[in-house]
Amino acid sequence: NISAYGIENGWWMEDHFNASDEDGDGLLNRTEFNNFLHPADSNSPRLIEWLCKEEVRERDSDKDGKLNFQEFYHGLFDLIRNYDEDIYNGSHVSQAYESTRETAANKLFIELDKNSDGFLTYDELQPVINRLHPGEEYYAKQQADYMIMQADADKDGRLSLKEMLDHPYVFYSAIFTDEDDEDYYHEEFR
C-alpha cells in the first residue's frame, strides 16, 4: 500500500494519521499524537471508527468490506470472549465445548448485527471495540490487581506499607522493566 507521498505505509497508515488529526491541519499536536499512539485510550469518534474499520479490513477474507459469521467466528470472537478456565485450557477442545462456543459466537453475532443482514460492518463493531482493543488503563488495573493479590498478606484487598515492604519481589518487576539499562524504571515508584 503506497501513500500519497510515494512511501509504503506501515502501522502508521495515512488513515490512522488522519483519524488522529482532530483539527485536520495535517499536523499532530501533543493530544493528537498521544491518541495516535494509543487509539484504544482515545475518546475520539474518528479513531474509534478507524479501529473498527481496521478490524474489518484485517479479518475480511473475501474482501467485501464486511464480516460474515465465519470471518467473525474465526477472526474476532476469540479476542472478544473471555474463556472459562474450567472449560477451555488451550490443549484440548471437546466437541461439546466447540458447539457451545459456536452457539455463543452466533448469539453475539446476531446481537451485533443491528440491521439483521447477516454481516457485520465496522459501525456494528463499536459496542465491542473496547474488548478488542483494551486501553492502557485496563492493563494497569490488571497489574495492580495482580500485585495486590500477591502482596496482600491479610487478604483484606488493600496494601499497607508493611505488606509492600515485606513483599519487595512483587514490586520489583513493576519498578524495573526488561530494558538492559538498569537505571530505567517506572517513574511512579521513585
Side-chain angles (χ1 to χ4, degrees), residues 43-109:
N43 292 324
S44 165
R46 289 173 60 190
L47 273 171
I48 301 303
E49 179 180 307
W50 174 79
L51 281 172
C52 292
K53 285 180 178 179
E54 281 299 295
E55 288 300 331
V56 170
R57 184 190 63 76
E58 289 176 13
R59 285 149 179 85
D60 181 17
S61 58
D62 61 9
K63 305 299 181 207
D64 63 356
K66 53 194 171 194
L67 301 178
N68 61 40
F69 176 73
Q70 290 303 315
E71 291 166 330
F72 169 77
Y73 183 60
H74 295 294
L76 289 179
F77 183 66
D78 287 339
L79 297 174
I80 294 170
R81 185 161 192 268
N82 292 324
Y83 286 115
D84 180 345
E85 299 281 333
D86 295 331
I87 296 173
Y88 178 76
N89 66 16
S91 63
H92 176 72
V93 178
S94 71
Q95 189 173 4
Y97 171 75
E98 192 61 34
S99 175
T100 302
R101 186 174 162 268
E102 189 164 347
T103 300
N106 191 50
K107 181 179 176 191
L108 180 58
F109 185 87

Side-chain angles (χ1 to χ4, degrees), residues 5 17-18 79 86 90 102 132 142 148 187:
Y5 301 102
F17 182 93
N18 291 335
L79 297 174
D86 295 331
E102 189 164 347
L132 293 168
Q142 274 192 330
I148 289 172
E187 190 67 30

Side-chain angles (χ1 to χ4, degrees), residues 26 39 48 83 92 95 111 128 133 138 148 175 188:
I48 301 303
Y83 286 115
H92 176 72
Q95 189 173 4
E111 181 182 316
V128 294
H133 294 276
Y138 170 81
I148 289 172
I175 296 171
E188 62 270 24

